[in-house]
Amino acid sequence: MSTSGTVHTSASHADAPLTLTEPPARTLGFRESAGLWGNLGISLLLPVAAVYVVLPGQPLSVTLGAIVVGAVIGASLLGLAAAAGAREGVPGMVLLRGLLGRRASYLPTALNLVQCIGWATFEIVIIAEAASRVLDAPRWPFVLVAGVLATAMALRPLGVVKVLSRYAVWAALAAIAYLFVEVLSEPRAALDGGGAASFWTATDIVIALPISWFPLAADYTRHVRSGRVAGTSAALGYGLATVAMFTLGVLALAAYGSSGLDVIDALLAVPLGALAVLVLITVELDEAFANVYSTAVSAQNVVARLDRRLLALGVGATATLLALSFDIVAYEPFLFLIGAVFVPLIGVFLVAYALSAPGRWDTSDTAPARLVYLLPWLAGFVAYQLTLPTFFSGVGAGWTTWWTARQTDLGIDPANGWSASLISLAVAALLTAVIALLGARRGRQRA
């Protein structure tokens, strides 16, 4: 049975539980949840990544179509995971106990801890770098400020979610609307340069952003009042923000790319662009906060009684120190590799969860091991790498070389133009369905 068999509703002023042994406060409605996911989707990383979505030599409408298709697919999958978190009332890594068992869930937990600390560090660096460029100042003071603020936000997460939904999201929307007006007022040139080899590789980049939040989604939606509200608000909030931010980046490239400007410089080039970008930099803090908080909550899957505030303080300090001393850009391909690990896992989870009997998703301390589900997870990951090996240069280049050689062995064109995410999801989901249905059949025969 689930640890959330009895739903406890806390007082409206209550925040997230301090340990895993306490029930979550069910205080978030549609507005708060949609505001949270909208804010998380409003990130400077998306317009910066727009260059990898552009289809060179194609009409702008084709690139925009890839953005919309990718956002719909990715946000729908995120919404399903968010809804499950609300129904079961447990954090993301605890939710995976129902799939793999308690002890086997430590494997994705370990990967998620590394991923969250890495992305928290990366977000702090992005915030500090953008602020230093806007204000023409050294980067390190902004690293300290961003790290301290993100850590402080992680101490009272539900209070932060309500502030984001009531105030921050509107400031961010105003800044985005202004930038859209200014960018659209400029003549747009044809986009001859871009990183997408095909419609589906462009779509794949967009799909990856919502899916990247799968391991973290339930950390927040366990506080939403119903599964339907959690799923709908997450899909709409993050999906619409994804479309807006990628589209803004593409339009900025079309308006200013011929002048040799990157997306950030292009946005700074518009009148009052620096002010609008400063607003977005401030809003970017929620991504750093979310990663700090989710690292702490993920760790509680292993140490259930440890206070999340102490964990958050340790994680925030670590991420800040790493941002001051570590070349996180060199670490970025490893973060993408971990992301590729979680893409098939969402396919395994969603199919297994959908085929499980109502009320039988066991997230308790005694959840039995179901190691058979490691097989479709592994198969999906292999399918991902055979479609599009994670690219490493320098240290780790052997990984890319090895998988490229396996593509050659199997006759797979490295420039195949397929969506690695969709192929990985399909392989993992299909094998999971076969395993689950065979298991159900054996159970009926024994009965």
Side-chain angles (χ1 to χ4, degrees), residues 369-389:
R370 299 203 290 175
L371 301 182
V372 67
Y373 285 118
L374 293 174
L375 296 177
W377 183 16
L378 177 60
F381 175 71
V382 169
Y384 190 106
Q385 294 300 313
L386 287 174
T387 305
L388 182 66

Side-chain angles (χ1 to χ4, degrees), residues 294-353:
S294 284
T295 307
V297 174
S298 295
Q300 287 183 322
N301 185 39
V302 181
V303 285
R305 295 183 180 278
L306 198 56
D307 192 318
R308 63 165 175 80
R309 296 172 299 184
L310 296 177
L311 290 167
L313 287 171
V315 172
T318 300
T320 303
L321 289 174
L322 288 173
L324 285 169
S325 58
F326 190 65
D327 181 10
I328 193 63
V329 175
Y331 186 63
E332 188 176 12
F334 185 61
L335 294 176
F336 290 147
L337 180 62
I338 297 178
V341 169
F342 280 107
V343 168
L345 184 58
I346 191 173
V348 178
F349 167 76
L350 290 177
V351 172
Y353 187 78

Side-chain angles (χ1 to χ4, degrees), residues 211-240:
I211 286 182
S212 69
W213 288 97
F214 157 64
L216 288 66
D219 299 350
Y220 310 95
T221 60
R222 61 178 171 150
H223 300 289
V224 181
R225 297 187 184 106
S226 75
R228 179 176 295 181
V229 169
T232 304
S233 58
L236 285 177
Y238 201 94
L240 291 174

Side-chain angles (χ1 to χ4, degrees), residues 389-406:
T390 304
F391 179 76
F392 287 89
S393 60
V395 177
W399 175 272
T400 309
T401 301
W402 191 90
W403 284 103
T404 302
R406 301 294 75 76

Side-chain angles (χ1 to χ4, degrees), residues 30-416:
F30 180 87
R31 184 185 68 175
E32 292 86 1
S33 182
L36 167 67
W37 290 106
N39 270 284
L40 291 175
I42 297 172
S43 170
L44 287 172
L45 289 177
L46 274 65
V48 169
V51 66
Y52 302 109
V53 179
V54 171
L55 287 154
Q58 295 287 333
L60 188 61
S61 59
V62 178
T63 295
L64 297 180
I67 291 172
V68 172
V69 171
V72 169
I73 294 172
S76 297
L77 293 169
L78 175 64
L80 292 172
R87 292 191 199 100
E88 303 303 324
V90 294
M93 293 300 104
V94 178
L95 192 62
L96 292 179
R97 291 181 182 181
L99 177 67
L100 300 172
R102 181 191 177 187
R103 295 197 179 278
S105 72
Y106 293 171
L107 173 58
T109 297
L111 293 170
N112 196 44
L113 290 174
V114 175
Q115 172 180 246
C116 285
I117 291 175
W119 281 116
T121 304
F122 200 88
E123 289 292 348
I124 291 171
V125 170
I126 288 291
I127 293 166
E129 179 65 28
S132 68
R133 287 171 65 177
V134 171
L135 300 175
D136 192 22
R139 192 179 76 174
W140 68 266
F142 298 108
V143 169
L144 293 177
V145 171
V148 169
L149 289 176
T151 304
M153 291 165 71
L155 300 180
R156 288 192 57 83
L158 294 190
V160 168
V161 168
K162 292 175 181 178
V163 170
L164 292 175
S165 63
R166 292 174 184 171
Y167 308 108
V169 68
W170 299 111
L173 289 175
I176 293 169
Y178 173 77
L179 290 172
F180 261 107
V181 169
E182 291 296 327
V183 169
L184 287 171
S185 67
E186 296 290 327
R188 289 178 294 283
L191 292 170
D192 296 324
S198 71
F199 180 90
W200 288 110
T201 57
T203 301
D204 200 55
I205 296 294
V206 183
I207 291 173
L209 269 297
I211 286 182
S212 69
W213 288 97
F214 157 64
L216 288 66
D219 299 350
Y220 310 95
T221 60
R222 61 178 171 150
H223 300 289
V224 181
R225 297 187 184 106
S226 75
R228 179 176 295 181
V229 169
T232 304
S233 58
L236 285 177
Y238 201 94
L240 291 174
T242 299
V243 172
M245 297 307 288
F246 270 113
T247 300
L248 178 61
V250 170
L251 293 176
L253 286 171
Y256 297 97
S258 59
S259 302
L261 300 177
D262 63 18
V263 172
I264 297 298
D265 285 338
L267 296 179
L268 291 175
V270 306
L272 298 180
L275 179 60
V277 171
L278 277 175
V279 172
L280 296 181
I281 291 170
T282 304
V283 174
E284 191 84 14
L285 277 169
D286 60 2
E287 279 86 359
F289 136 71
N291 282 291
V292 171
Y293 172 66
S294 284
T295 307
V297 174
S298 295
Q300 287 183 322
N301 185 39
V302 181
V303 285
R305 295 183 180 278
L306 198 56
D307 192 318
R308 63 165 175 80
R309 296 172 299 184
L310 296 177
L311 290 167
L313 287 171
V315 172
T318 300
T320 303
L321 289 174
L322 288 173
L324 285 169
S325 58
F326 190 65
D327 181 10
I328 193 63
V329 175
Y331 186 63
E332 188 176 12
F334 185 61
L335 294 176
F336 290 147
L337 180 62
I338 297 178
V341 169
F342 280 107
V343 168
L345 184 58
I346 191 173
V348 178
F349 167 76
L350 290 177
V351 172
Y353 187 78
L355 295 177
S356 66
R360 298 295 299 275
W361 193 257
D362 187 357
T363 61
S364 68
D365 288 345
T366 58
R370 299 203 290 175
L371 301 182
V372 67
Y373 285 118
L374 293 174
L375 296 177
W377 183 16
L378 177 60
F381 175 71
V382 169
Y384 190 106
Q385 294 300 313
L386 287 174
T387 305
L388 182 66
T390 304
F391 179 76
F392 287 89
S393 60
V395 177
W399 175 272
T400 309
T401 301
W402 191 90
W403 284 103
T404 302
R406 301 294 75 76
Q407 286 180 312
T408 302
D409 294 341
L410 296 171
I412 300 173
D413 182 2
N416 52 68

